[in-house]
Amino acid sequence: MNPPVTTPTLAQPPRLKAGGRAFAQIAQFHPELTAFRRDLHAHPELGFEEVYTGARVKEALKVCGVDEIHDGIGRTGIVAVIRGQGRGSGSMVGLRADMDALPMAEQGEVPWRSCKPGLMHGCGHDGHTAMLVGAARYLAATRNFDGTAVLIFQPGEEGFGGARVMIEDGLFERFPVQSVFAMHNWPAMKPGTVGINDGAMMAAADRITIEISGRGGHGAHAYQTVDVVLVAAHIITAVQGIVSRNVRPLDSAVISLCAVQAGDLGAFSVLPGTATLVGTVRSFDPAVQEMVERRIQELCGAIALGFGATATVRYERIYPATINTASHAVFAGDVAQSLVGADNVVRDLEPSMGAEDFSFMLQSRPGAYLRIGQGMGPGNSALHNSRYDFNDDILPLGAALHASLIEQAMPLATL
């Protein structure tokens, strides 16, 4: 039975300071954003199951007074439309936040901890959603821009490709934005900072599955078998040489074989006839990605053949690399600087070998992906950690950054 969910504790006024009218106004309803975020945290949902989350988002958007709310885009995705005071430019800019949680048990002891066993917001998508709702409230109240703001609440980022599903469902045909922006909290950066670069922000993520077939038998008579465990061991060792010997030192790639399944742990003298390896490849350059896939296929086939076995490789491209458009990254950095100052904007942020399905949106439209620092203090462990919790202190800054991207991308004409 799920424990009862108490009313989330409200935060004090924000301890972070930032410039600009958007931050000052959004800071006034920081406690409400915090309560909203903590309610989402207490009710996590997996990708394409964001029913409660979606209902809360739509309820909040109605209260904010947005012009249009569209749901069911990409199954459980939501899009809100806000029109600015000026209509002459015809510009349309998108902002995206992800909504889904992770299939992991929460071990933190916060009052708003997950009420669903085995599910938690371990990546801060509850905070991302709350920040975009905060931007919606401000933008709908002020409308200090010339054009249309399109706020995209995306399902299924955690491995489900929700961005791709929304695009395939006509997202950019129905809402033809000229550019699109997103941000993600980053515990490795201190609160009040923003990071970006003008190229790759996150790597492509591929999944590899290697099926090895041989001939099982008695461990005492191994000479009568084709030992798939031995083949698997050689493949594991050999593929590590791809990065060190086939990838240029100036390029980047990671190959990790993360799981092996062969035989029965209770049958210590039985050599199995099949083995399976699964893992992931991360890269930034499509040429490197192509080469790594080819070399894995070649090595696995040749190694298996050398032992009299066979190996079948299934190589799946899950997420492409998240590559910022250079000019939009510079613009986003300038917007962040207007809020927190030049010293608090890292414009050459080191890319991460993690992956992000906002990459699909950046393949369809120019734009940029930012990181907003949240720190790693008590209770704010690393992403995908069972004790992680979003830092509510950064909610007003994230919402103001979203709103300022709209205002500065589509400024009102001045006389």
Side-chain angles (χ1 to χ4, degrees):
M1 182 176 180
N2 291 338
V5 180
T6 58
T7 301
T9 303
L10 298 187
Q12 298 299 315
R15 289 176 288 181
L16 290 179
K17 300 298 180 184
R21 183 177 66 175
F23 179 85
Q25 190 161 329
I26 292 170
Q28 295 176 23
F29 51 86
H30 180 213
E32 296 163 68
L33 284 181
T34 299
F36 179 79
R37 197 286 297 181
R38 293 178 180 180
D39 181 62
L40 296 185
H41 188 93
H43 300 86
E45 296 170 303
L46 295 179
F48 303 127
E49 299 176 8
E50 303 95 341
V51 177
Y52 179 87
T53 304
R56 293 287 285 117
V57 168
K58 287 186 288 184
E59 177 185 39
L61 292 171
K62 289 176 183 177
V63 173
C64 291
V66 303
D67 296 305
E68 301 172 15
I69 300 173
H70 304 264
D71 60 9
I73 303 171
R75 297 171 63 176
T76 49
I78 299 168
V79 173
V81 174
I82 305 172
R83 299 181 183 89
Q85 295 180 40
R87 307 288 177 82
S89 70
S91 298
M92 185 177 287
V93 173
L95 303 173
R96 172 271 206 174
D98 36 20
M99 300 189 294
D100 58 324
L102 286 160
M104 57 188 293
E106 183 165 12
Q107 295 182 341
E109 299 299 331
V110 294
W112 50 89
R113 64 177 295 174
S114 170
C115 69
K116 296 184 177 182
L119 297 180
M120 76 168 287
H121 271 291
C123 201
H125 296 185
D126 49 346
H128 302 165
T129 299
M131 290 190 298
L132 194 54
V133 166
R137 178 170 172 175
Y138 168 81
L139 291 169
T142 59
R143 301 180 185 266
N144 186 38
F145 56 96
D146 183 2
T148 303
V150 177
L151 280 53
I152 304 164
F153 295 87
Q154 180 208 304
E157 190 280 327
E158 296 288 359
F160 295 92
R164 174 182 51 77
V165 175
M166 290 190 81
I167 292 168
E168 291 174 349
D169 202 18
L171 174 66
F172 291 138
E173 286 75 30
R174 295 175 62 179
F175 310 97
V177 299
Q178 284 90 45
S179 57
V180 63
F181 298 89
M183 69 182 74
H184 201 294
N185 76 94
W186 203 236
M189 296 175 62
K190 67 180 182 179
T193 61
V194 176
I196 197 167
N197 67 48
D198 61 3
M201 287 289 289
M202 300 193 79
D206 303 331
R207 179 188 293 125
I208 48 177
T209 305
I210 305 167
E211 301 280 357
I212 305 169
S213 296
R215 184 171 63 251
H218 200 300
H221 306 289
Y223 68 94
Q224 296 176 340
T225 73
V226 176
D227 186 355
V228 295
V229 174
L230 179 62
V231 176
H234 278 267
I235 287 175
I236 292 169
T237 301
V239 297
Q240 301 308 313
I242 295 174
V243 172
S244 65
R245 290 297 177 267
N246 298 131
V247 177
R248 284 194 329 149
L250 297 179
D251 294 327
S252 299
V254 174
I255 304 173
S256 295
L257 293 175
C258 302
V260 183
Q261 187 175 67
D264 187 333
L265 292 178
F268 75 97
S269 64
V270 177
L271 288 170
T274 60
T276 303
L277 309 176
V278 295
T280 185
V281 175
R282 306 298 173 110
S283 60
F284 295 108
D285 187 334
V288 172
Q289 186 181 34
E290 293 280 353
M291 182 274 294
V292 169
E293 178 179 1
R294 184 183 72 253
R295 290 296 293 139
I296 289 174
Q297 295 276 6
E298 292 169 348
L299 278 174
C300 290
I303 291 169
L305 180 63
F307 286 95
T310 60
T312 301
V313 178
R314 184 167 71 253
Y315 195 102
E316 302 168 86
R317 307 256 174 125
I318 307 301
Y319 289 169
T322 304
I323 310 292
N324 283 343
T325 310
S327 59
H328 290 72
V330 171
F331 163 74
D334 291 343
V335 173
Q337 182 173 317
S338 72
L339 296 174
V340 298
D343 291 343
N344 291 311
V345 179
V346 180
R347 292 180 181 261
D348 57 352
L349 187 69
E350 182 179 271
S352 167
M353 297 307 288
E356 160 66 69
D357 78 343
F358 184 64
S359 54
F360 290 110
M361 294 194 183
L362 289 179
Q363 285 189 333
S364 298
R365 293 292 188 275
Y369 181 81
L370 305 92
R371 298 205 184 281
I372 179 168
Q374 87 141 25
M376 202 183 294
N380 287 324
S381 298
L383 302 176
H384 292 219
N385 183 288
S386 61
R387 295 188 180 276
Y388 169 88
D389 190 23
F390 187 86
N391 183 356
D392 291 315
D393 284 347
I394 71 170
L395 286 170
L397 176 57
L401 181 51
H402 273 308
S404 298
L405 286 165
I406 293 295
E407 290 183 335
Q408 294 186 40
M410 300 182 290
L412 283 172
T414 56
L415 298 177

